[in-house]
């Protein structure tokens, strides 16, 4: 009993948290084998995958930066084209205003020339009518003067030369006395 008691006492004195030395040895061997396998096969593959991911991410960042730079260049080009288009539109508007003013001035000039032509035609027509009326009045006045002269003198003034001379003399006297001139 003593020996069982001793064994039981030894077992009671032993710490249950501390493993046996053979457990420690075999655990260390298994740990070293697993560490070797991990170090030889798993870690390089994991490193390779992580490196590939890093390269993809860096490549994606580089592509994004390139796309952003291209977009910025395109935006700059668009803004330049827009500025050029605005300048061109302003130039076209100014040119249209200038052409409009020139057309308006030409139309005014043409209208003034047409008005002047119409007025000149009216004046020449009036002058022609006045000349015609004066001629008709002279003839009528001449006939009336001859008739009066015949009544006053009591004889016929049938001779055309005498009649024309008498009419001309009467008209001259009439012009001098009345102040009415031909062509006034």
């Amino acid at each position: 009993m003593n020996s069982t008691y001793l064994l039981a006492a030894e077992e009671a004195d032993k710490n249950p948290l501390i493993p046996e030395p053979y457990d420690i040895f075999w655990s260390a061997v298994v740990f070293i084998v697993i560490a070797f396998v991990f170090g030889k096969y798993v870690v390089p593959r994991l490193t390779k995958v992580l490196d590939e991911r890093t390269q993809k991410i860096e490549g994606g960042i580089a592509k994004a930066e390139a796309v952003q730079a291209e977009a910025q260049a395109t935006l700059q080009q668009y803004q330049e084209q827009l500025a050029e288009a605005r300048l061109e539109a302003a130039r076209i508007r100014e040119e249209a205003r200038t052409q409009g003013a020139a057309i308006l001035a030409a139309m005014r000039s043409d209208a003034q020339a047409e008005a002047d032509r119409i007025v000149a035609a009216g004046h020449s027509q009036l002058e022609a009518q006045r000349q015609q009326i004066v001629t008709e009045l002279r003839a009528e006045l001449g006939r009336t003067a001859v008739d009066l002269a015949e009544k006053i003198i009591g004889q016929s003034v049938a001779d055309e030369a005498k009649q024309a001379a008498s009419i001309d003399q009467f008209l001259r006297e009439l012009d001098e006395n009345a102040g009415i001139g031909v062509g006034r």
Side-chain angles (χ1 to χ4, degrees):
M1 219 196 278
N2 235 348
S3 72
T4 55
Y5 180 68
L6 264 165
L7 205 43
E10 268 184 35
E11 283 183 18
D13 284 343
K14 264 189 149 184
N15 190 350
L17 294 179
I18 297 177
E20 292 295 324
Y22 64 87
D23 282 337
I24 293 175
F25 174 76
W26 287 114
S27 295
V29 169
V30 170
F31 179 76
I32 291 172
V33 169
I34 291 175
F36 176 76
V37 170
F38 258 80
K40 185 74 173 170
Y41 299 108
V42 175
V43 172
R45 286 187 182 170
L46 185 61
T47 305
K48 181 180 174 185
V49 169
L50 290 177
D51 288 343
E52 287 175 2
R53 270 193 169 170
T54 303
Q55 288 176 355
K56 284 182 182 179
I57 290 171
E58 288 174 354
I61 290 172
K63 284 180 184 178
E65 288 173 351
V67 168
Q68 186 176 9
E70 184 179 333
Q72 188 66 27
T74 303
L75 177 64
Q76 181 67 27
Q77 183 180 10
Y78 168 74
Q79 288 173 343
E80 289 173 1
Q81 288 175 350
L82 184 62
E84 288 175 11
R86 285 182 179 153
L87 288 174
E88 182 69 15
R91 186 190 62 76
I92 289 171
R93 279 193 304 268
E94 188 61 34
E95 187 175 304
R97 282 188 195 121
T98 304
Q99 287 178 353
I103 290 170
L104 188 60
M107 289 176 70
R108 283 183 182 156
S109 174
D110 291 347
Q112 185 63 41
E114 182 67 16
D116 292 345
R117 187 191 62 76
I118 290 171
V119 167
H123 284 305
S124 65
Q125 186 177 9
L126 282 174
E127 183 63 29
Q129 286 177 350
R130 190 177 75 70
Q131 288 295 331
Q132 182 182 1
I133 290 171
V134 166
T135 305
E136 288 174 5
L137 282 176
R138 279 184 171 231
E140 184 66 31
L141 190 58
R143 281 191 295 270
T144 305
V146 168
D147 288 344
L148 278 175
E150 284 179 355
K151 285 182 184 180
I152 292 175
I153 296 177
Q155 61 178 351
S156 173
V157 191
D159 186 12
E160 285 188 29
K162 287 182 183 179
Q163 192 177 18
S166 297
I167 290 171
D168 287 339
Q169 182 181 0
F170 177 73
L171 288 176
R172 273 193 302 273
E173 289 174 5
L174 187 64
D175 283 343
E176 290 172 1
N177 292 335
I180 302 175
V182 178
R184 286 191 188 178

